[in-house]
């Protein structure tokens, strides 16, 4: 049976269920909150770049990113169905993400352990000076406000 050509889209919305299904078929589910549909939905709602790859009606790849469209673009999720890997889909998803992010935006990502050797093969440079705060299971509250920086934060200003 001949496979259908892969079609890419930068304006196709997907559901949380479709996203989770693809994450499972790509093994990225091992590092994503797939059992928390509220968080998955927020991931889709608040990412500002979503590139999808389709084989007919089947979602076979996703690039989900956050960008300022000028300086940097964080590629948060790059998932390709295992049955469709090694066909250039991941590379094409990255290229399409770069197009949408803009010519000056640097593409930044954290590689899944199994994919560390993939990115240099497609021309990405490994950068050793990356730092991360791991997610915390609960956030401490200070008074009536959460102790987290966000909209309306007065952190760093005198009151």
């Amino acid at each position: 049976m001949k496979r259908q050509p892969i079609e890419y889209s930068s304006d196709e919305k997907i559901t949380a269920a479709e996203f989770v299904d693809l994450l499972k078929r790509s093994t990225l589910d091992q590092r994503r909150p797939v059992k928390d549909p509220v968080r998955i939905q927020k991931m889709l709602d608040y990412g500002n770049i979503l590139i999808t790859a389709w084989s007919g009606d089947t979602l076979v790849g996703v690039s989900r990113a956050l960008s300022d469209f000028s300086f940097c673009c964080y590629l948060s999720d790059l998932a390709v169905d295992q049955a469709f890997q090694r066909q250039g889909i991941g590379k094409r998803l990255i290229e399409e993400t770069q197009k949408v992010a803009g010519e000056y935006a640097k593409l930044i990502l954290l590689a899944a352990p199994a994919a560390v050797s993939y990115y240099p093969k497609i021309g990405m440079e490994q950068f050793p000076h990356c730092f991360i705060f791991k997610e915390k299971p609960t956030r401490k509250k200070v008074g009536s406000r959460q102790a987290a920086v966000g909209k309306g934060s007065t952190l760093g200003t005198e009151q």
Side-chain angles (χ1 to χ4, degrees), residues 48-132:
N48 54 7
I49 297 176
L50 182 70
I51 309 296
T52 54
W54 300 85
S55 176
D57 292 333
T58 304
L59 178 66
V60 298
V62 163
S63 170
R64 190 184 69 82
L66 305 138
S67 182
D68 60 16
F69 302 99
S70 176
F71 181 72
C72 66
C73 176
Y74 172 60
L75 178 51
S76 181
D77 300 305
L78 181 65
V80 176
D81 183 325
Q82 286 184 309
F84 288 82
Q85 291 179 4
R86 295 183 177 18
Q87 296 179 35
I89 295 170
K91 184 176 181 180
R92 176 74 184 273
L93 286 166
I94 290 171
E95 290 169 355
E96 296 300 320
T97 300
Q98 287 180 299
K99 285 180 193 175
V100 173
E103 66 180 308
Y104 297 110
K106 293 177 188 77
L107 191 66
I108 303 161
L109 62 82
L110 298 174
V116 170
S117 63
Y118 169 73
Y119 296 104
K121 290 177 186 175
I122 63 166
M124 293 186 81
E125 179 182 350
Q126 188 170 9
F127 193 74
H129 307 291
C130 176
F131 300 91
I132 184 172

Side-chain angles (χ1 to χ4, degrees), residues 9-47:
S9 175
S10 62
D11 58 4
E12 185 91 21
K13 299 290 183 194
I14 60 173
T15 67
E18 288 174 314
F19 187 42
V20 167
D21 179 56
L22 178 63
L23 291 173
K24 288 178 180 178
R25 289 184 281 125
S26 73
T27 74
L28 201 56
D29 66 313
Q30 298 166 14
R31 290 166 300 285
R32 297 298 181 269
V34 295
K35 293 183 191 245
D36 188 342
V38 172
R39 282 183 74 191
I40 291 291
Q41 188 60 56
K42 284 183 178 181
M43 289 167 65
L44 291 170
D45 290 346
Y46 296 109

Side-chain angles (χ1 to χ4, degrees), residues 134-147:
K134 298 277 184 163
E135 64 184 64
K136 297 178 183 177
T138 59
R139 293 182 184 214
K140 294 180 181 178
K141 293 198 176 201
V142 178
S144 62
R145 295 184 182 191
Q146 282 191 336

